[in-house]
């Protein structure tokens, strides 16, 4: 109790000394900024990771099997084989190929997928981003395309487009592509590259175009219960298929993006941790100067019987208090900014008229997800550094010799 009282009195009296006050405020401000930046940065990274899992990984295949030569036959049976795997929650057939969409003389390349409407929504969440007719209601000779494809072609829902598909079964290498006329019934408005690359049509439409039988497809797709275990599940489940297939998972197509997010998380934490460390150890310089400034007071306290432990605790509490004040204010500011960061981002770039994330990432807004464990870790590290920074000045205070100090005064 005495140490806390003395620490408070020293802290208030200290404002009379300009340079000591300035250094203590600078160290507190540094801790505050470091904590604020770390909370915001980790929240943004958590937001990107959440959107990767909830948006992008809900659309791209978790696991896919593509036939390199001959089509896969009896897809109903193969789908049941995949669904029998304990880690696969749903499976569906697909015909996946590159095509050109044409409308009034304009062409746009697209990744065209032939899907079974009633099954596709069990493995993909793209239906949540479709405006117009849903995937479950998709019929023959209808198509759903990405929003950016529709804008580049100038096509609207209800218009008919021509789709050019490579004539894969022709003996002539330069054979003219097959043309099919499809009605646009929906537009995918997800944001990011999906909007400018993906198109969906009925499976039977492509089967008829490619001359495949009703039981034949070019690929199978599965959804797993744990997306981060998709590669192992893909290999294990693929061994049950009798067909020759290429095995793939989202790690091959989007894995680098996930690794980049984790790498950025580590780099950001280390960099901001060093900023907090520098700010925390600025406490050392301010405390050393304060000890020198208060040597007369320390000498008087010792002559009155104050123990070294009391002196040590008094100045240790000083340094910890600076860090606690900075960490508390930084946490409040960081949490408030992290919660409102998406709205602030939209407001700033709505005024500017440009979005730096448009068409670059899988989201066109700045996501933010606040995880309280990150805040607790940040505060724990900050307080640990503050305690470490306060030990040396507090120890130096106990070395004050009353006779020497009072004799010089």
């Amino acid at each position: 109790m005495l140490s806390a009282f003395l620490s408070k009195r020293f802290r208030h009296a200290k404002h009379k000394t300009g340079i000591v006050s300035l250094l203590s405020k600078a160290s507190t401000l540094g801790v505050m900024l470091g904590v604020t930046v770390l909370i915001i940065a980790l929240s943004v990274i958590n937001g990107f990771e959440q959107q990767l899992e909830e948006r992008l990984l809900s659309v791209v295949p978790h696991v896919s099997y593509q036939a390199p030569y001959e089509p896969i036959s009896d897809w109903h049976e193969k789908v049941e084989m995949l669904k029998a795997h304990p880690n696969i929650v749903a499976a569906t057939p697909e015909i996946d190929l590159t095509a050109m969409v044409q409308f009034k003389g304009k062409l746009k390349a697209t990744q065209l997928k032939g899907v079974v409407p009633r099954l596709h929504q069990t493995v993909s969440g793209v239906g949540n981003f479709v405006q117009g007719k849903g995937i479950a209601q998709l019929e023959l000779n209808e198509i759903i395309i990405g929003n950016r494809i529709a804008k580049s072609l100038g096509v609207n829902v209800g218009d008919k487009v021509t789709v050019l598909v490579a004539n894969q079964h022709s003996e002539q290498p330069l054979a003219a592509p097959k043309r099919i006329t499809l009605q646009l019934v929906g537009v995918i408005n997800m944001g990011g590259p999906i909007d400018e690359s993906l198109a969906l049509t009925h499976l039977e439409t492509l089967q008829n175009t490619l001359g495949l039988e009703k039981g034949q497809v070019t690929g199978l797709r599965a959804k797993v219960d744990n997306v981060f275990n998709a590669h192992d599940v893909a290999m294990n489940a693929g061994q049950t298929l009798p067909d020759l297939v290429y095995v793939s998972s989202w790690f091959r197509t989007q894995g680098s993006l996930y690794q980049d997010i984790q790498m950025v998380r580590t780099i950001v934490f280390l960099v901001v941790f060093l900023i907090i460390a520098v700010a925390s150890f600025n406490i050392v310089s301010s405390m050393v100067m304060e000890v020198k400034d208060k040597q007369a007071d320390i000498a008087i306290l010792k002559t009155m019987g104050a123990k070294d432990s009391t002196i040590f605790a008094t100045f240790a509490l000083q340094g910890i208090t600076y860090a606690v004040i900075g960490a508390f204010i930084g946490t409040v500011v960081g949490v408030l900014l992290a919660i409102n960061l998406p709205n602030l981002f939209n407001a700033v770039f709505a005024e500017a008229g440009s979005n730096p994330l448009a068409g670059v990432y899988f989201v066109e807004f700045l996501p933010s997800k606040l995880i309280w464990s990150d805040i607790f870790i940040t505060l724990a590290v900050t307080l640990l550094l503050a305690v470490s920074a306060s030990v040396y000045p507090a120890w130096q205070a106990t070395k004050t010799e009353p006779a020497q100090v009072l004799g010089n005064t």
Side-chain angles (χ1 to χ4, degrees):
M1 291 297 293
L2 177 60
S3 298
F5 174 76
L6 292 173
S7 177
K8 182 179 179 181
R9 289 295 300 269
F10 283 168
R11 191 164 59 253
H12 288 293
K14 172 180 65 61
H15 293 292
K16 299 177 182 179
T17 307
I19 187 65
V20 177
S21 176
L22 178 63
L23 287 175
S24 62
K25 290 178 179 178
S27 59
T28 301
L29 181 63
V31 172
M32 182 199 75
L33 292 176
V35 171
T36 300
V37 171
L38 185 56
I39 290 174
I40 294 174
L42 291 179
S43 297
V44 171
I45 295 171
N46 293 333
F48 272 105
E49 186 174 344
Q50 181 187 38
Q51 294 300 318
L52 172 69
E53 185 173 354
E54 294 183 358
R55 290 173 67 93
L56 187 61
L57 295 187
S58 70
V59 174
V60 301
H62 292 178
V63 174
S64 64
Y65 305 95
Q66 297 295 325
Y69 307 114
E70 298 297 323
I72 300 173
S73 302
D74 300 324
W75 65 261
H76 295 86
E77 179 183 350
K78 309 302 168 53
V79 165
E80 293 302 322
M81 289 181 180
L82 293 177
K83 290 168 65 176
H85 192 280
N87 298 112
I88 291 180
V89 297
T92 184
E94 284 187 344
I95 295 178
D96 195 353
L97 47 84
T98 302
M100 300 291 291
V101 180
Q102 182 180 29
F103 182 73
K104 293 183 178 181
K106 295 181 179 180
L107 289 171
K108 180 67 175 178
T110 181
Q111 180 188 11
L112 182 63
K113 288 181 177 289
V115 301
V116 179
R118 62 182 176 83
L119 294 179
H120 191 73
Q121 58 185 357
T122 64
V123 299
S124 174
V126 70
N128 299 327
F129 307 100
V130 173
Q131 297 175 349
K133 193 173 185 179
I135 297 177
Q137 291 78 40
L138 191 64
E139 298 178 358
L140 291 175
N141 300 320
E142 293 181 343
I143 189 172
I144 297 172
I145 65 175
N147 180 47
R148 293 184 180 273
I149 300 176
K151 286 184 177 180
S152 64
L153 295 176
V155 62
N156 299 311
V157 173
D159 294 336
K160 290 188 177 181
V161 299
T162 301
V163 178
L164 284 67
V165 180
N167 193 348
Q168 300 175 345
H169 299 284
S170 175
E171 297 179 357
Q172 300 179 1
L174 298 177
K178 294 185 177 181
R179 295 172 174 265
I180 48 177
T181 301
L182 305 175
Q183 184 178 16
L184 180 62
V185 296
V187 174
I188 303 170
N189 190 12
M190 178 183 174
I194 296 294
D195 289 357
E196 58 185 356
S197 64
L198 184 61
L200 303 173
T201 189
H202 200 286
L203 182 72
E204 291 187 17
T205 299
L206 290 187
Q207 285 177 330
N208 297 333
T209 303
L210 300 177
L212 300 177
E213 298 178 1
K214 285 192 173 182
Q216 292 182 322
V217 293
T218 62
L220 299 171
R221 173 174 174 173
K223 179 180 180 180
V224 299
D225 55 358
N226 183 0
V227 293
F228 300 107
N229 196 33
H231 182 70
D232 293 336
V233 174
M235 300 303 296
N236 292 335
Q239 295 176 357
T240 64
L241 297 175
D243 302 85
L244 177 64
V245 293
Y246 285 133
V247 182
S248 181
S249 68
W250 72 269
F251 279 100
R252 290 188 177 179
T253 58
Q254 309 294 333
S256 59
L257 179 60
Y258 175 73
Q259 292 173 354
D260 289 345
I261 292 176
Q262 299 306 312
M263 181 181 66
V264 170
R265 177 197 297 275
T266 303
I267 294 174
V268 165
F269 187 83
L270 289 176
V271 171
V272 182
F273 171 78
L274 292 176
I275 294 174
I276 296 175
V278 171
S280 297
F281 281 98
N282 280 342
I283 296 174
V284 176
S285 59
S286 64
M287 289 297 300
V288 167
M289 294 194 67
E290 184 167 356
V291 169
K292 289 184 177 295
D293 187 56
K294 293 290 187 283
Q295 279 190 335
D297 296 323
I298 297 171
I300 293 173
L301 287 172
K302 282 196 168 186
T303 59
M304 294 175 64
K307 297 180 180 178
D308 285 349
S309 59
T310 302
I311 303 298
F312 180 90
T314 298
F315 286 93
L317 284 174
Q318 285 279 78
I320 294 173
T321 301
Y322 299 148
V324 168
I325 293 174
F328 176 76
I329 299 175
T331 299
V332 173
V333 175
V335 169
L336 291 176
L337 289 176
I339 293 174
N340 296 283
L341 195 59
N343 295 331
L344 293 174
F345 178 85
N346 293 335
V348 170
F349 288 101
E351 294 291 335
S354 62
N355 187 345
L357 299 180
V360 179
Y361 297 101
F362 50 91
V363 292
E364 296 186 354
F365 60 93
L366 190 63
S368 178
K369 179 183 179 182
L370 199 62
I371 298 180
W372 293 105
S373 60
D374 289 341
I375 298 177
F376 294 146
I377 293 173
T378 301
L379 291 177
V381 170
T382 302
L383 293 178
L384 180 61
L385 291 174
V387 171
S388 302
S390 302
V391 169
Y392 176 75
W395 176 76
Q396 282 291 99
T398 63
K399 300 301 180 182
T400 302
E401 295 293 339
Q404 182 179 357
V405 173
L406 296 177
N408 293 334
T409 58

